[in-house]
């Protein structure tokens, strides 16, 4: 399967770099993350085209065959210009559907002034990565608890140690207040990952500082010629990315049924 979407192409590449498995079935990919089976978007199907309403039950059965122990159902749909209408079959079957905005740039806008009291640098030692887990735990929407957050941080650190990029943090009084990763996911293309800010430190410009620092490093040191980030079109963060020089390009389609609680 030739993945057209830059967002899904980089997602799949990063899952593989982190030790995941990608099985090509022609009209879909099965992406598995054996080290973290409760990672919803590390264990999913990527479909080559939007499913019809009549075919959704078939795809649910394919998912259940691929992930017999899973309590979730997660699907990506390849393509560059999709809309919620393309996910109508999944929505009719009771899955939540989402269209994200894919933004790219070849050059960042001028960097903003530094944030008073914040130190922006890559994560480096065990203490930094322990704080990465704690930062994840501050997210009220985190599913999977500490075990999931620990496994995810281990995979993120592995990407860094394997030389694919860096995970950046904004530290306030030596506390990790915000973080994100940037990794080269294909030749010349660097992908941002996992943008998060502790609720107590939001609206201080930390995300903006991280986006600029990580992007400048990727363009200057990682061989990237283009930067890519994916965002909820209704989230405040998308405005941060546009001010940093990113422009809307593709859309990314996904559908999910997640465990309750």
């Amino acid at each position: 399967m030739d993945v057209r979407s830059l967002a899904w192409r980089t997602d799949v590449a990063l899952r593989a770099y982190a030790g995941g498995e990608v099985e090509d079935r022609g009209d879909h990919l099965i992406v598995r993350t054996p080290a973290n089976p409760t990672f919803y978007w590390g264990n999913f199907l990527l479909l080559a085209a939007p499913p019809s309403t009549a075919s959704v039950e078939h795809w649910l059965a394919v998912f259940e065959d691929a992930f017999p122990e899973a309590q979730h159902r997660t699907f990506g749909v390849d393509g560059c210009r999709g809309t919620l209408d393309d996910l109508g079959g999944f929505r009719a079957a009771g899955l939540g559907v989402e269209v994200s905005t894919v933004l790219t740039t070849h050059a960042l806008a001028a960097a903003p002034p530094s944030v008073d009291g914040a130190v922006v640098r890559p994560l480096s030692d065990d203490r930094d990565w322990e704080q990465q887990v704690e930062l994840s735990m501050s997210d009220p929407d985190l599913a999977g608890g500490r075990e999931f957050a620990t496994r995810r941080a281990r995979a993120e650190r592995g990407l860094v140690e394997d030389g694919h990029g860096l995970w950046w943090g904004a530290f306030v009084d030596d506390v990790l207040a915000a973080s994100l990763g940037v990794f080269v996911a294909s030749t010349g293309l660097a992908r941002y990952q996992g943008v998060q800010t502790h609720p107590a430190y939001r609206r201080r410009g930390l995300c903006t500082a991280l986006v600029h620092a990580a992007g400048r490093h990727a363009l200057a040191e990682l061989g990237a010629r283009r930067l890519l980030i994916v965002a909820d079109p209704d989230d405040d963060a998308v405005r941060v990315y546009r001010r940093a020089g990113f422009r809307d390009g593709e859309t990314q389609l996904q559908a999910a049924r997640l465990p309750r609680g």
Side-chain angles (χ1 to χ4, degrees):
M1 175 177 158
D2 182 17
V3 181
R4 294 168 290 153
S5 161
L6 289 177
W8 284 120
R9 191 185 309 164
T10 51
D11 274 331
V12 171
L14 290 172
R15 297 288 71 77
Y17 292 164
E21 302 169 355
V22 181
E23 182 179 349
D24 191 341
R25 294 283 189 88
D27 60 352
H28 69 285
L29 301 181
I30 302 173
V31 181
R32 298 184 176 91
T33 302
N36 200 353
T38 60
F39 180 15
Y40 302 144
W41 291 106
N43 299 278
F44 67 97
L45 300 188
L46 178 60
L47 310 187
S52 66
T53 301
S55 69
V56 167
E57 289 302 321
H58 161 75
W59 288 115
L60 288 168
V62 172
F63 185 100
E64 290 159 11
D65 183 65
F67 302 99
E69 304 299 322
Q71 299 301 305
H72 69 281
R73 304 289 183 268
T74 43
F75 301 86
V77 177
D78 191 26
C80 301
R81 293 287 184 272
T83 69
L84 283 174
D85 290 342
D86 294 314
L87 301 172
F90 281 124
R91 184 164 48 192
L95 280 73
V97 296
E98 184 175 323
V99 178
S100 298
T101 299
V102 181
L103 304 99
T104 64
T105 187
H106 294 280
L108 292 166
S114 59
V115 181
D116 288 343
V119 175
V120 175
R121 61 170 176 81
L123 305 193
S124 59
D125 58 17
D126 290 348
R127 175 58 180 152
D128 287 351
W129 286 100
E130 289 166 2
Q131 290 204 66
Q132 174 70 359
V133 174
E134 296 307 317
L135 178 58
S136 293
M137 294 299 296
S138 73
D139 179 359
D141 297 323
L142 178 74
R146 185 171 297 275
E147 181 179 3
F148 164 74
T150 300
R151 289 177 173 179
R152 182 172 66 179
R154 188 179 301 130
E156 293 163 352
R157 188 173 188 175
L159 287 171
V160 172
E161 292 175 345
D162 288 343
H164 296 294
L166 292 174
W167 207 276
W168 291 77
F171 293 81
V172 178
D173 297 327
D174 294 325
V175 173
L176 182 63
S179 74
L180 57 78
V182 174
F183 300 101
V184 176
S186 64
T187 302
L189 179 62
R191 170 73 185 269
Y192 286 79
Q193 290 276 280
V195 182
Q196 56 183 334
T197 302
H198 191 287
Y201 294 94
R202 289 177 181 162
R203 301 190 183 280
R204 297 191 186 185
L206 298 177
C207 178
T208 299
L210 285 170
V211 168
H212 278 271
R216 289 196 304 270
H217 180 269
L219 292 169
E221 304 295 338
L222 299 182
R225 299 184 299 276
R226 190 179 188 188
L227 305 173
L228 183 149
I229 197 164
V230 179
D232 179 341
D234 298 320
D235 192 87
D236 288 342
V238 76
R239 288 184 281 276
V240 171
Y241 307 146
R242 289 169 181 152
R243 287 195 297 270
F246 286 84
R247 295 294 176 262
D248 297 15
E250 303 177 356
T251 55
Q252 184 180 34
L253 304 181
Q254 55 193 49
R257 179 186 296 153
L258 306 181
R260 294 183 178 180

